Amino acid sequence: MFDYRQTRHDEVRRVIKPMGRLRLLDWEPYWDSNLRNYGLNWQQTAYAGLHELHYGIQYGKMVYEIRNEASKYELPSTGIFVEDDWTLTERTSLGLSLRYDRNQFEANRGALRDKTHTQLSPGVKITQRLGKGQSVYLGARRLFRAPTVADYSRWSTGYIDNANEYRNAFAPTLSHAEWQSLLGVPAPEKGMSYELGWRAKMGDTAVGVTGFYYDIDNFLNIQFKGNLRPPIVYNIDNVKVKGIELTGTHRFDPHWTLSAGYTRQSTSKSGDRFHAPLKGMPESTFNAGLHWDNLRGWQSALDLRYIGSIPTSSDSDYISPYMVADLTVSYAFKSHIINFAVNNLFDRYYEQTPDFRQPGINYNLSYQYTF
């Protein structure tokens, strides 16, 4: 079970220049919100002959209340899944999966009050062991991602302003009906995912190489071009992503382990009515971690995350790459785990969206009980 809550209140002081002289105005509210994300994840494992079955349910609800706009959005979501790891031969195994998703959007105001999306997503994966700790695998699965509460909230501003009226500044040459026709209504992403990989374990070292390819219809994108605030959310007809991922771990002794991973990807698209760069698609990412375990319940990890350049308003305008360090310490005893994390350990300034700073150093304390 989980329950995450966040209260955020931002105030700004604006600068004007009357008669050619700078003047600093008083503080005024800019953003005031309450966010809550709560639910449960339940999973079980069962064995039947050559089959290892994993099944469960995931339920969550996101509540997005923006007090400065007097708006409230809710998104209940349910996922039910079953996975079968089937041992065909001594060297060959077949993985079959099936997942059902249901996402329902609800709003107390705005251009869209209620919307529900559902999908059944199958998947298949075959693994062939080559001997000497090596194996290759090939997999394919159906993709599904419904619009989030944040997507719907940003999209709604393309129709109306705080007074529930059409905001002509977004498209001064278009009527309200024409703008609605151009912007459309957010639809879920659907498509296929394919992967081909190789893994090997040599003593205390494990390495892996995976090639991946995504073919996504109705890709949800965010348009930052121009002076639109907040940005516009809309669907691109099709996006294709291909790339390669390299991973590796090495255990120095029973207490210390080093891990690393690198991903390189490229994208292409078709049917983009706003001709904007793809949001959240860095060309490269890198992560590394140093992990310690005293074998008596105590564990700690120092992890580094590097995110490469991301296009913003155009394909030649990028958000700067950044690297963030996170530190975690945990203690496990019987069925209990206590975890303490320090995120953005060195308080680095970085952005994922232009002009919006990501959280500086922050702390998280959690408790987990297994039964």
Side-chain angles (χ1 to χ4, degrees), residues 93-149:
S93 61
L94 178 66
L96 302 173
S97 64
L98 189 63
R99 180 182 177 92
Y100 171 77
D101 286 285
R102 185 179 190 274
N103 294 69
Q104 181 178 0
F105 171 74
E106 303 167 354
N108 67 338
R109 56 172 289 179
L112 184 66
R113 301 297 179 89
D114 183 86
K115 195 72 174 178
T116 301
H117 299 290
T118 62
Q119 177 164 299
L120 194 63
S121 304
V124 60
K125 181 177 181 179
I126 186 166
T127 302
Q128 179 68 35
R129 284 170 283 281
L130 305 176
K132 296 183 180 180
Q134 299 185 59
S135 63
V136 293
Y137 55 92
L138 175 66
R141 62 186 177 91
R142 195 177 183 192
L143 298 176
F144 174 78
R145 189 181 81 86
T148 66
V149 174

Side-chain angles (χ1 to χ4, degrees), residues 40-336:
L40 61 88
N41 297 323
W42 176 81
Q43 178 175 324
Q44 292 289 299
T45 301
Y47 300 89
L50 301 177
H51 301 266
E52 180 178 328
L53 299 174
H54 306 275
Y55 57 93
I57 184 171
Q58 299 169 331
Y59 172 79
K61 187 172 185 179
M62 172 72 79
V63 180
Y64 201 84
E65 183 179 5
I66 310 175
R67 291 188 293 237
N68 57 295
E69 295 181 358
S71 60
K72 185 176 182 180
Y73 307 92
E74 297 185 2
L75 185 66
S77 60
T78 303
I80 302 173
F81 66 91
V82 59
E83 301 170 355
D84 180 10
D85 292 331
W86 182 6
T87 302
L88 299 177
T89 69
E90 184 179 350
R91 290 178 174 267
T92 308
S93 61
L94 178 66
L96 302 173
S97 64
L98 189 63
R99 180 182 177 92
Y100 171 77
D101 286 285
R102 185 179 190 274
N103 294 69
Q104 181 178 0
F105 171 74
E106 303 167 354
N108 67 338
R109 56 172 289 179
L112 184 66
R113 301 297 179 89
D114 183 86
K115 195 72 174 178
T116 301
H117 299 290
T118 62
Q119 177 164 299
L120 194 63
S121 304
V124 60
K125 181 177 181 179
I126 186 166
T127 302
Q128 179 68 35
R129 284 170 283 281
L130 305 176
K132 296 183 180 180
Q134 299 185 59
S135 63
V136 293
Y137 55 92
L138 175 66
R141 62 186 177 91
R142 195 177 183 192
L143 298 176
F144 174 78
R145 189 181 81 86
T148 66
V149 174
D151 289 333
Y152 281 121
S153 173
R154 288 168 170 159
W155 166 85
S156 182
T157 62
Y159 284 90
I160 58 174
D161 60 15
N162 294 347
N164 230 23
E165 305 219 346
Y166 173 49
R167 182 177 291 182
N168 194 47
F170 279 109
T173 62
L174 300 181
S175 67
H176 193 187
E178 290 172 332
W179 175 241
Q180 286 181 334
S181 177
L182 177 63
L183 186 59
V185 177
E189 297 177 351
K190 297 183 178 181
M192 289 296 298
S193 165
Y194 306 93
E195 63 175 4
L196 173 64
W198 167 82
R199 289 190 294 254
K201 191 173 188 331
M202 299 159 284
D204 294 325
T205 302
V207 295
V209 180
T210 302
F212 56 88
Y213 177 76
Y214 304 137
D215 188 348
I216 307 170
D217 293 327
N218 292 325
F219 181 89
L220 280 162
N221 201 37
I222 302 178
Q223 163 67 288
F224 290 100
K225 193 172 184 179
N227 296 317
L228 303 183
R229 289 293 185 270
I232 296 300
V233 173
Y234 68 103
N235 290 103
I236 296 177
D237 289 349
N238 181 264
V239 168
K240 293 178 172 58
V241 184
K242 59 182 178 181
I244 188 170
E245 180 183 45
L246 309 175
T247 60
T249 61
H250 177 72
R251 180 176 292 277
F252 295 99
D253 58 38
H255 302 287
W256 293 93
T257 302
L258 180 67
S259 64
Y262 174 76
T263 301
R264 182 76 180 184
Q265 65 183 13
S266 62
T267 60
S268 62
K269 62 179 177 175
S270 60
D272 182 1
R273 72 199 76 171
F274 292 110
H275 306 288
L278 299 177
K279 175 69 171 72
M281 288 289 185
E283 296 175 345
S284 61
T285 61
F286 173 78
N287 61 79
L290 182 62
H291 306 264
W292 170 81
D293 187 341
N294 79 336
L295 305 180
R296 294 184 177 86
W298 284 101
Q299 294 185 11
S300 66
L302 176 64
D303 294 294
L304 300 178
R305 295 178 287 120
Y306 170 84
I307 306 297
S309 301
I310 303 175
T312 56
S313 60
S314 69
D315 290 329
S316 60
D317 183 19
Y318 286 82
I319 294 178
S320 299
Y322 62 87
M323 178 174 284
V324 178
D326 303 317
L327 176 67
T328 60
V329 178
S330 66
Y331 178 65
F333 57 100
K334 296 181 180 179
S335 300
H336 311 269

